[in-house]
Amino acid sequence: MKIAIGNDHAAPELKLEVVEHLKKMGHEVTDTGCAVGERCDYPYAAQRVCELIRAGEAELGILICGTGVGMSLAANKFKGIRAACCSEVFSARLTREHNDANVLCFGARVVGAGTALDLVDAFVNTPFSNEERHARRISLITAIENDELK
Ligand code: RB5
């Protein structure tokens, strides 16, 4: 799978662990995040990953900042992006299965490397369920995005 990853200055070390893990699993990873010692504002990091997804150059994205919250707020402003901030595996799995989330966010100051890799595995390895009720709710989210929810 093609996966884009980004981070701000709170998370370069954890990002590297995630990149290595994904590559070991055979995924093609585009790392757009900042390096150790650099500083960057998380909305720009979110923008780079979301644009790759919107352009069809990545299927899923992973965004890591201090809490994961800023990244998810920024990512969800991009059309077509459904970003979920998760700190436990159940939500990371269900947000793929039910919400067809295409971006996983988490915080390097919230979860350790072990949990981070478990979140990534749950997110990347879970397909969307394709059940009608979930698809309908996602289309309602899209209607909100387009200011068309009735
Ligand atoms: C940066 O210090 C911090 O604010 C950022 O990484 C993130 O946690 C924001 O949500």
Side-chain angles (χ1 to χ4, degrees):
M1 194 180 280
K2 286 185 176 180
I3 299 173
I5 188 163
N7 62 283
D8 72 357
H9 47 272
E13 293 90 355
L14 182 56
K15 182 273 306 284
L16 290 174
E17 291 196 53
V18 173
V19 169
E20 193 187 319
H21 178 72
L22 287 168
K23 285 185 174 167
K24 262 192 215 154
M25 309 271 292
H27 297 292
E28 192 180 314
V29 185
T30 305
D31 178 3
T32 70
C34 73
V36 177
E38 285 179 353
R39 293 189 72 77
C40 95
D41 292 331
Y42 60 80
Y44 289 119
Q47 180 185 35
R48 288 191 287 273
V49 164
C50 292
E51 283 182 349
L52 286 172
I53 293 172
R54 282 168 50 80
E57 289 168 38
E59 289 155 74
L60 295 178
I62 296 172
L63 289 168
I64 319 169
C65 62
T67 59
V69 175
M71 285 291 197
S72 60
L73 292 175
N76 278 313
K77 297 293 181 190
F78 291 89
K79 273 197 173 199
I81 298 299
R82 289 178 298 280
C85 182
C86 300
S87 53
E88 34 70 36
V89 167
F90 181 73
S91 298
R93 178 167 66 78
L94 268 285
T95 200
R96 287 286 307 124
E97 213 172 290
H98 290 192
N99 314 128
D100 199 14
N102 48 14
V103 176
L104 170 68
C105 305
F106 52 86
R109 296 171 183 157
V110 179
V111 299
T115 299
L117 299 187
D118 285 351
L119 294 174
V120 166
D121 285 346
F123 188 76
V124 166
N125 295 328
T126 305
F128 175 50
S129 72
N130 250 319
E131 285 175 44
E132 192 281 330
R133 70 185 193 283
H134 296 311
R136 184 180 69 246
R137 290 162 191 160
I138 292 164
S139 69
L140 293 172
I141 294 175
T142 305
I144 293 172
E145 187 173 76
N146 294 328
D147 213 6
E148 288 172 350
L149 187 68
K150 297 189 176 74

